[in-house]
Amino acid sequence: MAKYKIGYTTGVFDMFHIGHLNILKKAKALCDYLIVGVSTDELVQEYKHKTPIIKFNERLDIVSSIKYVDKALAQTSMNKIDAWNNLHFDVMFHGSDWENSEMYNKIVEEFRQVGVDVIFLPHTPGTSSTFLKEALAAYMDKKGELC
């Protein structure tokens, strides 16, 4: 595969787990400089209709501290072309769980028109923030305290 100069990826990165690390590690292996957009709490509420467990500033600090990440910044909009207009990346990375979705088919076409590649990296099976939240909830009592 080609090695790109500037790569970009985004995510919520709530309850940071091995799947998140795998995406960042694989993305960085394909580019010299990796920019990561971390979704703000407001944006997550807007498009996922839920609030992250870990506050935005903490998630941004966690992602910023990962050795594969050259720059982490707030993602305040789902508009990837706006991000490209501001950041001028050569490639966008995303987890393969979104490949061939209506939303990402549109994004791939928009980026094709401006010469940006979109690479879908393998999703790590068996782990997700949603899975971790559900597992944690199973251990919570009715008062919301750990059993």
Side-chain angles (χ1 to χ4, degrees):
M1 255 200 229
K3 178 104 171 167
Y4 298 92
K5 183 174 172 92
I6 302 172
Y8 180 67
T9 191
T10 65
V12 178
F13 302 101
D14 198 16
M15 300 184 69
F16 196 90
H17 55 73
I18 192 66
H20 294 138
L21 186 62
N22 287 341
I23 289 287
L24 298 176
K25 183 177 184 179
K26 289 172 185 171
K28 179 62 179 178
L30 296 171
C31 64
D32 295 325
Y33 191 85
L34 181 62
I35 303 169
V36 180
V38 178
S39 298
T40 62
D41 294 341
E42 296 79 13
L43 183 62
V44 176
Q45 185 63 45
E46 180 182 312
Y47 81 94
K48 286 194 172 191
H49 308 290
K50 51 185 162 181
T51 303
I53 290 176
I54 308 299
K55 290 179 176 65
F56 167 74
N57 287 337
E58 294 174 10
R59 291 183 287 114
L60 183 63
D61 193 32
I62 290 166
V63 172
S64 296
S65 299
I66 304 298
K67 71 179 182 178
Y68 307 112
V69 176
D70 295 295
K71 180 178 185 174
L73 45 78
Q75 176 183 228
T76 59
S77 166
M78 293 297 288
N79 189 318
K80 307 303 185 201
I81 289 294
D82 283 351
W84 176 76
N85 283 327
N86 291 325
L87 302 169
H88 308 289
F89 46 85
D90 307 303
V91 61
M92 180 171 167
F93 302 104
H94 210 288
S96 62
D97 50 331
W98 284 88
E99 191 169 10
N100 294 317
S101 69
E102 185 177 329
M103 181 172 98
Y104 267 86
N105 285 343
K106 182 180 179 220
I107 290 168
V108 167
E109 183 53 37
E110 289 174 338
F111 278 141
R112 184 176 292 126
Q113 293 176 20
V114 295
V116 173
D117 290 336
V118 178
I119 296 178
F120 292 95
L121 299 170
H123 180 262
T124 302
T127 188
S128 73
S129 295
T130 300
F131 173 77
L132 291 173
K133 289 174 193 173
E134 289 169 358
L136 184 59
Y139 290 101
M140 303 290 276
D141 69 15
K142 292 179 185 174
K143 294 179 186 176
E145 297 173 2
L146 287 175
C147 297

